Amino acid sequence: MASPLARPAASAPSVDAVVARMRALDAALPARDGVAVFNRVYLTVTEEVGRRLDAGEFPDPRAAGTLDVRFAQRYLAAVDAAGEDRRPPACWRPLFQLRRHPGVRPLQFALAGVNAHIGHDLALAVIDTCRTLGCEPAELEDEFDRVGELLMALEERVREDLMPGPDLLQIADPLTHLLGSWSLERARDAAWAAARALWALRYCAGIAEEFTERLDAAVGFAGRMLLTPLPG
């Protein structure tokens, strides 16, 4: 498997191309498949980023578009690895391994995907973007924050659309405790800190690789907990 810190290709597909790929996945995967559940909610956010880019709502549309695409490429690379019987990053393995488990609820699949993508991929996407654009992470902070606002809206939508039953979860439901154990806001803040640390370590390849591997493993462990099979 290629190093997660390998220099990205000089050019990247457009946001529209990324959206088209996600729509194709949505059409191809069974609706109950765990990857399909995450893909649907992520597709919604990526479409919204594209809409806002077209409307000129980002101060630096090139930086925002590049960050969005580099971010999405991390997820799509994991999908490709799993589809080709290669090992995806550790953060994504729980979702791919348990994607058809009958005891895992749709909300868990969605949050496990968000956990992998924010907790691991986002920091690396910032580094990818800096290398592509020849800039420092600090120059991307406004775009990072604006994309982060959309991701916060994603978490709210996930909970609203996938919360089981017509009523709020009862306190005795184990899913209640799982939901309370993870926060997208904390994960996003940690991703920014990780991106800054990786950028500072960019000339210390061995240390940067070890940092990235440990981040990947830790996020994968959290994903495994989020996907704990629960009684119906």
Side-chain angles (χ1 to χ4, degrees):
M1 182 174 64
S3 166
L5 290 175
R7 184 174 295 276
S11 61
S14 66
V15 174
D16 287 345
V18 167
V19 166
R21 176 76 196 284
M22 290 183 190
R23 287 175 177 165
L25 282 173
D26 184 51
L29 293 173
R32 182 61 175 77
D33 181 285
V35 176
V37 173
F38 169 72
N39 188 79
R40 283 195 296 274
V41 293
Y42 187 32
L43 171 59
T44 300
V45 170
T46 308
E47 288 173 332
E48 180 64 15
V49 170
R51 187 194 69 76
R52 294 191 183 193
L53 282 168
D54 291 342
E57 296 183 20
F58 287 98
D60 187 340
R62 180 168 179 252
T66 302
L67 177 59
D68 185 68
V69 169
R70 292 303 189 193
F71 189 30
Q73 284 180 305
R74 291 276 172 180
Y75 157 62
L76 295 172
V79 171
D80 289 340
E84 296 166 5
D85 292 327
R86 293 182 286 111
R87 283 168 67 83
C91 61
W92 285 105
R93 286 174 210 156
L95 180 59
F96 288 111
Q97 290 166 355
L98 296 170
R99 62 194 295 176
R100 298 179 182 88
H101 197 296
V104 179
R105 303 184 195 179
L107 180 58
Q108 291 175 263
F109 288 133
L111 290 181
V114 173
N115 169 69
H117 205 36
I118 304 300
H120 173 264
D121 294 353
L122 184 53
L124 298 183
V126 171
I127 302 303
D128 293 343
T129 303
C130 287
R131 287 173 169 168
T132 299
L133 299 179
C135 66
E136 301 274 332
E139 297 173 64
L140 296 176
E141 190 166 8
D142 286 345
E143 284 65 39
F144 182 95
D145 287 344
R146 285 174 179 265
V147 172
E149 290 169 5
L150 287 175
L151 294 170
M152 295 299 292
L154 165 63
E155 185 182 31
E156 294 176 7
R157 176 165 184 159
V158 165
R159 292 174 186 258
E160 289 174 2
D161 291 354
L162 299 178
M163 192 74 76
D167 303 315
L168 293 176
L169 287 171
Q170 296 182 358
I171 194 168
D173 192 317
L175 187 53
T176 304
H177 301 285
L178 278 179
L179 290 175
S181 69
W182 188 85
S183 162
L184 189 149
E185 184 173 8
R186 290 196 298 268
R188 186 188 66 171
D189 290 345
W192 181 246
R196 292 177 63 196
L198 282 169
W199 188 251
L201 293 170
R202 65 192 182 280
Y203 300 121
C204 305
I207 299 174
E209 290 285 353
E210 181 178 355
F211 182 98
T212 304
E213 289 171 5
R214 292 182 181 274
L215 175 66
D216 190 19
V219 173
F221 180 77
R224 181 74 62 182
M225 296 301 101
L226 287 169
L227 291 171
T228 300
L230 302 174

